[in-house]
Amino acid sequence: MTDDAVPDLRASDTDRERVAEVLRDALAEGRLDMAEFEERLEATYQARTYGELAPITRDLPVSDVAAPPAVSLRKGPQPAGSWAGRIVGGEGTSTWAVAVMSGFQRKGRWTVPRRFTCFAFWGGGELDLREANFADGEVVISCVAIMGGMNIIVPPGVEVDVRGIGIMGGFDDGETGIPGDPGAPRVVVTGFAFWGGVGVERKLTREERKLAKLERKRVREEERRARLERRQARDEERRARRELHGGDLHGDREDRRGHLGH
């Protein structure tokens, strides 16, 4: 980790794997024992930022692990991985979307405006906010769905407030009331649904799903290693018992031979 790196910049799966490789090398070289290795490996896969990764290998000989580009925290845009860096101000990438017997989609890196309006008639649309930036700390998404549907995907940590009205249709308000992370944006979903519906769901990003998969893999490896260690311990115990009993029997035979000789 370089001294001018931004500690709040989000780390990638590749960055975490680089740190994990350094830890494996340190274990093989005897610089870390198994307990230290497991503790640091767990911290590696749980790390979200470069600032959390840096201390893990600070006392190990490594030249270039997870070094991000130097970015100022006071000038220009904030790191895209932090909530502060995702509330960028200004105008949105687009302010409306329409689907008439068709569909629309907004996903990936885009900026949600302070107010976004979407309309669907015999069609549907999807707004994916998981990787989006936000023009303000609170954005309003107004949806009108007539014999159609819309789906809004928000990342974990974002507060959602659903206020829409449905007639022979509905607005999914299952995500309403869940507290957001400090500094996270607030998404207000409002509008009208007639013979249609508007759904709101919370999903992890692709990177977070990969991290969860790596964590499950790490847990399985630890369980497998623990089972192997228990099996080895049982084998050692049985071997010790056989040697002990074999030694006792040999000693008894020698004693009996001595008594007969007398």
Side-chain angles (χ1 to χ4, degrees):
M1 180 71 67
T2 60
D3 292 337
D4 57 355
V6 177
D8 292 333
L9 190 63
R10 281 291 180 111
S12 67
D13 289 340
T14 302
D15 298 324
R16 282 181 281 268
E17 282 301 315
R18 287 174 183 166
V19 174
E21 188 62 30
V22 172
L23 296 178
R24 295 186 188 102
D25 291 343
L27 177 65
E29 294 168 357
R31 301 180 190 275
L32 296 176
D33 60 27
M34 182 59 69
E36 291 174 317
F37 170 75
E38 292 177 349
E39 180 180 356
R40 295 194 189 197
L41 187 65
E42 180 178 4
T44 298
Y45 287 126
Q46 291 179 350
R48 296 295 184 90
T49 65
Y50 288 108
E52 294 172 349
L53 282 176
I56 297 174
T57 57
R58 184 167 291 160
D59 60 347
L60 299 175
V62 52
S63 59
D64 185 18
V65 177
V71 179
S72 172
L73 291 175
R74 298 181 181 179
K75 297 180 181 180
Q78 294 292 323
S82 65
W83 286 122
R86 294 178 65 176
I87 302 176
V88 297
E91 301 296 328
T93 302
S94 62
T95 59
W96 59 274
V98 175
V100 178
M101 292 184 288
S102 61
F104 66 81
Q105 187 179 59
R106 299 287 188 277
K107 68 176 184 177
R109 292 290 182 183
W110 67 294
T111 300
V112 185
R114 291 178 176 83
R115 188 172 188 90
F116 186 91
T117 302
C118 46
F119 175 82
F121 175 73
W122 277 15
E126 180 180 83
L127 299 177
D128 190 339
L129 312 185
R130 288 177 294 177
E131 298 181 12
N133 292 326
F134 299 82
D136 199 359
E138 178 174 298
V139 297
V140 178
I141 300 176
S142 179
C143 304
V144 177
I146 300 176
M147 292 182 286
M150 299 177 196
N151 192 42
I152 302 172
I153 304 174
V154 300
V158 169
E159 182 182 355
V160 179
D161 183 7
V162 179
R163 305 174 182 175
I165 299 174
I167 298 177
M168 290 184 288
F171 275 72
D172 181 5
D173 62 353
E175 300 296 337
T176 296
I178 299 177
D181 291 341
R186 185 167 183 260
V187 177
V188 178
V189 181
T190 185
F192 175 77
F194 177 73
W195 279 14
V198 176
V200 180
E201 58 180 329
R202 201 178 298 267
K203 287 184 177 180
L204 296 173
T205 63
R206 185 177 303 174
E207 179 181 344
E208 290 169 331
R209 289 199 301 271
K210 287 182 179 179
L211 181 59
K213 183 177 179 180
L214 288 172
E215 176 65 16
R216 290 194 296 270
K217 181 179 179 181
R218 183 191 65 79
V219 171
R220 287 196 298 268
E221 290 179 350
E222 286 187 351
E223 292 175 347
R224 181 182 60 81
R225 184 164 54 248
R227 288 195 298 270
L228 179 60
E229 291 175 352
R230 288 196 296 270
R231 188 181 302 116
Q232 291 174 342
R234 288 196 298 269
D235 291 344
E236 289 291 337
E237 183 179 356
R238 284 195 290 267
R239 189 179 301 111
R241 288 178 178 175
R242 286 197 298 269
E243 292 176 354
L244 177 63
H245 295 329
D248 289 345
L249 292 174
H250 180 73
D252 291 344
R253 286 195 296 270
E254 291 295 330
D255 290 343
R256 286 195 295 272
R257 288 173 184 174
H259 288 304
L260 290 174
H262 289 297

